[in-house]
Amino acid sequence: MTRIILSTGNVILGGPSIRKRGTYRSNLEFTNSLRSNFLAAQQDYAATLQNGNGNGNTSQPRENGHSSRPAPDVWTERDGSTLYVPRIDWASAGLQEDRTQYEITVKLFFLPTAPAEKRIDYITEALRLVTKELGVRDVDLLILSFPGIFFEGDCEYEADRKNATMGSDEEEVATWGLLENLHEQGQISRLGIAEFGTDKLRRFVDKVKVRPAVDQINIKNCCNVPPPLMKLAKEKGIELLTHHDSTDVLPSGTLRELLGQGPQGAGVLADGDANSSGLKGEIIPEWVVKYTAFVKDRGVIENKGYFASAEAAEEA
């Protein structure tokens, strides 16, 4: 088994063109940023290798035979059973100013293809990567997005009613307990959830020790924030925020397209080619984490990016 860690780097450095206006494909920034980072790493590491000794086999043929790209081992890095795509230059990680100048927000998406019992591992690894990338020891806010929960309906009341039966209260409360421990240890200052309507939020608050400070709602498939939810949030001191994130930000097909041998793929997967050195077998997306480092005094985002994890159940 190989665990694949994908990373975008700082998408702020890529400029505003990565995310196009007028689209509801909220994972477009994420997938485009991954492709951009893969391409940049392929170019940078291949050039470094060629300038260093110039005699390595640094490329592999494309399926169409008209172009080539660096072999995966040139621009990715394997550390035990973990494969980093692309390899990460941790020496350049970190923020420019003192930690106290930043508001650091993290949103962790649990994907529907990943088992709930492994969520402690997902939380631990996601926080490890984000804090290492930013050069910090803690984050200000961590928001959890659970699979299978969303707002959708002809009006806000219908969406709120449908939302009440989504997800698994038991699994969500158990996962929240893991975050409460990290909150008590000082690794996370505030905890948040996403897509919890009135009934789900009421049941949730009654069962947890630490109330969520934030509830993020995506109302693009609805109308407005339901008034009962606004009332409940005000009573419980919970901040309601709207967002445009996709709940299934990395479907299996998208991941295979990103890593496969196709025209826009990175060439990391074998894609059925028995002669390929790429990974063979099923690829299971597990989680995606989005992070932002906001400079409070200047009102700007200095660093924003994504990590994602998938499991490759390799064939013999």
Side-chain angles (χ1 to χ4, degrees):
M1 186 274 292
T2 295
R3 173 143 289 105
I4 306 171
I5 299 295
L6 298 85
S7 60
T8 63
N10 187 356
V11 304
I12 300 298
L13 301 179
S17 62
I18 291 177
R19 188 170 187 175
K20 299 179 181 178
R21 292 183 177 273
T23 178
Y24 282 119
R25 290 187 60 193
S26 57
N27 64 343
L28 188 63
E29 176 185 69
F30 171 51
T31 55
N32 279 0
S33 297
L34 282 176
R35 285 194 176 97
S36 296
N37 203 34
F38 295 167
L39 180 60
Q42 289 171 352
Q43 294 171 341
D44 291 346
Y45 286 108
T48 299
L49 185 61
Q50 289 173 345
N51 291 337
N53 55 40
N55 57 11
N57 180 18
T58 64
S59 65
Q60 60 183 17
R62 292 271 194 175
E63 287 184 342
N64 59 21
H66 297 299
S67 60
S68 63
R69 61 187 159 207
D73 59 0
V74 172
W75 60 280
T76 65
E77 182 176 21
R78 182 174 283 275
D79 182 7
S81 61
T82 301
L83 179 67
Y84 290 91
V85 183
R87 65 175 65 205
I88 301 172
D89 180 13
W90 296 112
S92 63
L95 299 171
Q96 297 178 9
E97 302 180 31
D98 186 79
R99 168 67 179 90
T100 58
Q101 300 301 310
Y102 297 91
E103 178 79 18
I104 298 175
T105 299
V106 174
K107 186 172 183 179
L108 178 57
F109 302 81
F110 295 125
L111 302 181
T113 47
E117 60 268 21
K118 291 186 178 181
R119 285 177 180 167
I120 181 58
D121 297 328
Y122 303 157
I123 294 169
T124 301
E125 180 66 355
L127 277 177
R128 182 189 73 83
L129 291 166
V130 170
T131 54
K132 188 173 183 179
E133 172 67 21
L134 299 179
V136 299
R137 296 182 178 180
D138 65 298
V139 301
D140 296 293
L141 172 64
L142 190 148
I143 298 171
L144 286 185
S145 176
F146 295 99
I149 305 176
F150 50 86
F151 268 80
E152 190 173 83
D154 293 333
C155 68
E156 57 265 34
Y157 292 97
E158 181 185 7
D160 200 20
R161 177 180 56 81
K162 290 182 177 180
N163 177 270
T165 59
M166 294 178 179
S168 167
D169 289 7
E170 182 179 352
E171 289 181 357
E172 291 145 16
V173 170
T175 302
W176 190 258
L178 305 174
L179 283 193
E180 289 177 330
N181 294 334
L182 297 175
H183 171 71
E184 292 172 357
Q185 296 167 16
Q187 294 185 46
I188 309 169
S189 297
R190 298 191 300 154
L191 308 179
I193 47 168
E195 316 303 344
F196 273 43
T198 308
D199 289 345
K200 278 194 71 70
L201 182 60
R202 182 181 291 110
R203 296 195 304 264
F204 188 76
V205 168
D206 288 342
K207 295 177 181 178
V208 299
K209 292 189 300 181
V210 179
R211 288 181 180 175
V214 167
D215 184 7
Q216 271 194 338
I217 303 296
N218 188 338
I219 56 175
K220 72 178 180 66
N221 292 322
C222 177
C223 304
N224 301 298
V225 177
L229 178 58
M230 290 192 287
K231 180 181 178 182
L232 177 63
K234 184 176 181 180
E235 291 174 355
K236 302 299 183 181
I238 299 171
E239 184 180 8
L240 286 178
L241 301 174
T242 59
H243 70 94
H244 298 286
D245 297 322
S246 170
T247 53
D248 189 9
V249 67
L250 187 61
S252 297
T254 300
L255 177 61
R256 183 162 286 279
E257 180 184 348
L258 284 166
L259 297 179
Q261 297 289 339
Q264 297 189 66
V268 174
L269 305 182
D271 277 356
D273 183 355
N275 297 320
S276 172
S277 61
L279 296 176
K280 302 176 178 65
E282 186 179 5
I283 306 296
I284 304 170
E286 296 175 318
W287 54 262
V288 173
V289 66
K290 177 173 72 172
Y291 58 91
T292 58
F294 179 79
V295 186
K296 292 180 284 188
D297 290 345
R298 293 191 281 123
V300 298
I301 296 176
E302 179 185 303
N303 197 314
K304 176 183 179 181
Y306 299 81
F307 287 100
S309 175
E311 181 180 295
E314 295 179 80
E315 297 175 348

